[in-house]
Amino acid sequence: MEILIKEPLKSITKVSVENLELSTLLHLIDCDTIEVINTPVFKEENIILLVDEDGKLKDKKFNFEIYHGGIAKTTFVGNVIFAGIDKSGKWVELNEKQIDFIYEKFSKEY
C-alpha cells in the first residue's frame, strides 16, 4: 500500500506499508493519538491527512499551512500522512492520480 508522508523541513516521501493499521500509522507519525483532517481541497479528491492530535501541545516542528481563502488557514506540525479514503470511510492507499495531485499541490506554496 502506498501513502505519502511529509515531515517538517523535508519534501514529501512515498512510503510503502503492509497495511494502514493504527500501530503502523502511530509509528510513522510518531504520536499516541491520530487526528483526521478533511480539508476541502483534498476532500474533493478523497484524500485525508493524518496528524498527531496533540502535535501543537507537544510543540512539534512547523510543517506547512493550507489557506482556505481570506485569512482562514490550517497549520500542520509534526509528520503528516496523506492517505486515501473510500466511499464507506475506510482509509485506503493512494492511487496514482491522488499521488500526482498531492505532488502538484506541494509544488506550489501554501
Side-chain angles (χ1 to χ4, degrees), residues 44-62:
E44 293 170 5
E45 299 295 324
N46 297 318
I47 298 168
I48 55 171
L49 288 75
L50 306 173
V51 301
D52 182 348
E53 183 174 41
D54 298 321
K56 291 177 185 171
L57 298 173
K58 295 176 185 174
D59 201 27
K60 289 198 171 182
K61 288 185 181 179
F62 171 82

Side-chain angles (χ1 to χ4, degrees), residues 1-2 15-21 24 28:
M1 303 184 101
E2 300 213 335
V15 177
S16 293
V17 293
E18 276 189 43
N19 56 57
L20 293 177
E21 289 182 4
T24 301
L28 288 171

Side-chain angles (χ1 to χ4, degrees), residues 19-83:
N19 56 57
L20 293 177
E21 289 182 4
L22 187 58
S23 60
T24 301
L25 299 171
L26 290 170
H27 174 73
L28 288 171
I29 297 173
D30 187 26
C31 67
D32 298 316
T33 55
I34 291 177
E35 180 178 359
V36 178
I37 307 290
N38 277 313
T39 62
V41 67
F42 290 107
K43 188 175 183 178
E44 293 170 5
E45 299 295 324
N46 297 318
I47 298 168
I48 55 171
L49 288 75
L50 306 173
V51 301
D52 182 348
E53 183 174 41
D54 298 321
K56 291 177 185 171
L57 298 173
K58 295 176 185 174
D59 201 27
K60 289 198 171 182
K61 288 185 181 179
F62 171 82
N63 198 332
F64 62 93
E65 294 175 326
I66 295 178
Y67 288 87
H68 307 285
I71 60 171
K73 67 181 176 180
T74 302
T75 301
F76 295 89
V77 299
N79 297 345
V80 177
I81 289 177
F82 297 85

